[in-house]
Amino acid sequence: MRLAIINDEVDQDLGRAADAAASCGFGGIEVRSVGNVPPHELTDGRLETIAAELSARGLAVAGFCPPALKVPMPRTEQDVAAARAIVVRAVEQARILGAPHIRIFTFYRDGGPAPLAAAEQARRVLDGVPLDGVDLLVETGMRTNTPTIALVLRFLEAVDIPGLGILWDPGNSVFAGMNPEPFPAEYEMGKELIRHVHVKDPAGSTAYVRLGDGDLPWGDIVDTLRADGYAGWLSLETHWRIGRVLDQSQRDNPWCDDFTDGGYEASVECMKRLAELVGR
């Protein structure tokens, strides 16, 4: 297993975030916002600079996190075209970064989860998008139509697009109130398709807390992933801040200082805890 962190959980200054990750023994950075610029607005030149800065520090790009399909369910052709444009651009951006994948969502849910309807609209959005070796991973998203692995599997079966994988974020399943114990049953259900894991620790649906102080048995999860031969990234998405709690708008739009403030100290503490769990 390899350790990474989403950079804007630490600092909007990429160098400061990267140095913190390297000092904690992490090998990768999952790229989201940089310098108060949201991921889908990063220019080619900025992306090239990001890749060079990380490479100079011996860090890999562990993934790219645009808000792909993180919109309401499309209702019109214009909605479909707008959603497709973000995915097409994200693939171009990932290629420049050298990112192995981009994560995608399954649209914000309106009421209860509707993975089959989301799959129908996702097919319209993704039809004809040139991936060129960049993988698409469907996240168990907190406010989307697939907050659990069970729902992601229904989505994947219905969307019927070869090569899609799962980005497992069990913290989202808990925080969404959809499954207070996504491990081990949900993990076992989808483990063959899990290609990336986001690490954060919820206290029910109230707040995210310091890694190890919440509802998820991360030690047991890490041990099981190791025993099963998982060779992907464990990517810390801290979401915990010392002295404040992120609100829904900040979690929906996780970029810029409004989101990042207070993340450095909290993330360094959680990185040390995650490194201890993996190294024990």
Side-chain angles (χ1 to χ4, degrees):
M1 282 178 289
R2 297 171 289 175
L3 297 181
I5 188 167
I6 300 177
N7 64 288
D8 58 13
E9 293 282 353
V10 186
D11 205 287
Q12 285 293 328
D13 182 315
L14 180 70
R16 191 163 187 253
D19 288 343
S23 71
C24 291
F26 279 41
I29 292 290
E30 190 169 354
V31 177
R32 199 158 58 194
S33 63
V34 177
N36 287 296
V37 178
H40 51 300
E41 297 178 10
L42 293 168
T43 64
D44 289 3
R46 191 65 172 274
L47 293 163
E48 290 168 356
T49 300
I50 291 168
E53 282 194 48
L54 296 181
S55 178
R57 291 170 168 81
L59 296 172
V61 176
F64 182 51
C65 290
L69 278 64
K70 196 178 184 182
V71 293
M73 197 91 76
R75 304 299 181 191
T76 67
E77 288 300 326
Q78 289 79 7
D79 292 341
V80 171
R84 182 185 295 122
I86 289 179
V87 178
V88 170
R89 175 58 182 155
V91 173
E92 295 171 349
Q93 291 173 299
R95 193 178 303 114
I96 294 168
L97 283 170
H101 71 262
I102 62 173
R103 60 94 181 268
I104 66 173
F105 294 95
T106 54
F107 310 112
Y108 286 128
R109 63 180 180 273
D110 183 9
L116 303 187
E120 180 180 353
Q121 297 305 318
R123 276 198 307 272
R124 296 174 65 199
V125 171
L126 299 176
D127 182 46
V129 173
L131 298 179
D132 296 333
V134 177
D135 290 339
L136 300 182
L137 304 186
V138 179
E139 180 165 343
T140 50
M142 197 275 285
R143 291 215 302 127
T144 72
N145 286 287
T146 56
T148 67
I149 280 184
L151 290 165
V152 171
L153 292 174
R154 292 181 65 190
F155 171 87
L156 291 176
E157 182 178 9
V159 78
D160 195 26
I161 296 176
L164 296 184
I166 295 175
L167 192 163
W168 186 40
D169 188 328
N172 283 341
S173 303
V174 175
F175 199 84
M178 293 291 178
N179 190 339
E181 296 183 2
F183 178 84
E186 285 241 331
Y187 165 76
E188 291 293 335
M189 190 184 303
K191 66 181 181 181
E192 299 302 325
L193 291 174
I194 293 172
R195 300 184 195 167
H196 194 78
V197 178
H198 277 174
V199 178
K200 55 181 181 275
D201 214 348
S205 298
T206 304
Y208 287 98
V209 296
R210 182 173 55 180
L211 184 66
D213 292 349
D215 294 336
L216 287 169
W218 276 110
D220 293 341
I221 293 172
V222 167
D223 289 346
T224 300
L225 287 167
R226 180 185 291 113
D228 288 344
Y230 176 72
W233 293 96
L234 288 178
S235 188
L236 183 65
E237 187 181 21
T238 318
H239 269 30
W240 169 55
R241 301 289 182 266
I242 298 173
R244 73 184 184 108
V245 175
L246 297 174
D247 63 29
Q248 186 62 63
S249 176
Q250 291 162 339
R251 293 193 303 270
D252 284 347
N253 303 283
W255 39 74
C256 305
D257 285 331
D258 184 50
F259 168 79
T260 302
D261 281 350
Y264 186 93
E265 294 80 8
S267 291
V268 167
E269 191 166 343
C270 289
M271 279 192 284
K272 291 177 179 178
R273 286 193 162 205
L274 183 56
E276 289 173 0
L277 286 177
V278 171
R280 66 180 185 175

